[in-house]
Structure formats: structure tokens, C-alpha cells
Amino acid sequence: MAPIELTDANFQSEVLESDVPVLVDFWAAWCGPCRAIAPIVTELASEYAGRAKVGKVDVDVNPQTAMQYGVRSIPTLLFFVGGQVRDQMIGSAAKREFQKRLDALVGQTA
């Protein structure tokens, strides 16, 4: 299962109105560390299917959403529950770090 492609247009419905936690990866095609964690993000989308959503925002195509959340460096990963940012990571990390943070949010609701 691939991550959801998030845009300025669908961010409200896919992330802010989601009834499960959402991991949002802010990235760009030219960003080396973004490409490095892309396979991890894809694996997480499959592993957490039904328990959490995993999506990606291309900051070059969707600058409004990136600006709204103060994304200044990429990759930036924001973890949402009930439409609110509950955690964030900046830069690349090991898969277990992403899992640990997602696990802490799965099962939480607004």
C-alpha cells in the first residue's frame, strides 16, 4: 500500500478530519534525505493500514500546507491525531524511530 498523496486541496479531509492518526511526510523530489526515507514511509503505509494513515506532501507542489505548518527543512514528518500535531521529526531516522512514534499514537483519538 502506497502512502496517500496529500495536497493543499485534500489535506483537510485526509489529515485534519481523519479518525485515525496520520503521519505526514513533507518532502521534495530534489531532497536526498527525503528519497532515503521514502522506502520506510512506504513500508509504514502498509504496516499501519487500518490503524493509521501515512501520506506525503510534495512541498514544491503544495507550498500552502508546508507554510501553514512552518515546515522550513525537509524531510519533516508531522504526526497528527484528531487534527492536531502531536509529534514531529525533522531529518531522516531509522524505521524503528518512526514506528515508536506511530505506536504511541495509534489508538488515541481526539
Side-chain angles (χ1 to χ4, degrees):
M1 178 174 194
I4 300 163
E5 185 178 333
L6 298 170
T7 64
D8 290 343
N10 73 4
F11 196 84
Q12 174 82 29
S13 62
E14 289 288 354
V15 177
L16 302 182
E17 297 171 2
S18 176
D19 54 1
V20 295
V22 186
L23 166 58
V24 179
D25 175 14
F26 289 87
W27 72 287
W30 49 264
C31 166
C34 299
R35 288 196 307 272
I37 66 166
I40 295 171
V41 173
T42 299
E43 289 172 22
L44 293 172
S46 293
E47 291 172 18
Y48 286 85
R51 298 184 294 148
K53 286 185 186 179
V54 176
K56 295 172 71 86
V57 175
D58 184 333
V59 298
D60 289 336
V61 180
N62 302 284
Q64 181 180 332
T65 301
M67 262 187 352
Q68 182 178 347
Y69 289 96
V71 174
R72 289 183 178 80
S73 60
I74 51 174
T76 290
L77 294 101
L78 299 181
F79 298 78
F80 288 81
V81 176
Q84 301 295 314
V85 177
R86 296 286 176 93
D87 200 356
Q88 76 171 19
M89 294 173 65
I90 298 173
S92 62
K95 181 178 178 183
R96 69 180 169 274
E97 184 61 31
F98 296 106
Q99 290 170 313
K100 185 172 79 176
R101 291 170 186 244
L102 261 176
D103 288 343
L105 300 176
V106 168
Q108 288 188 19
T109 57

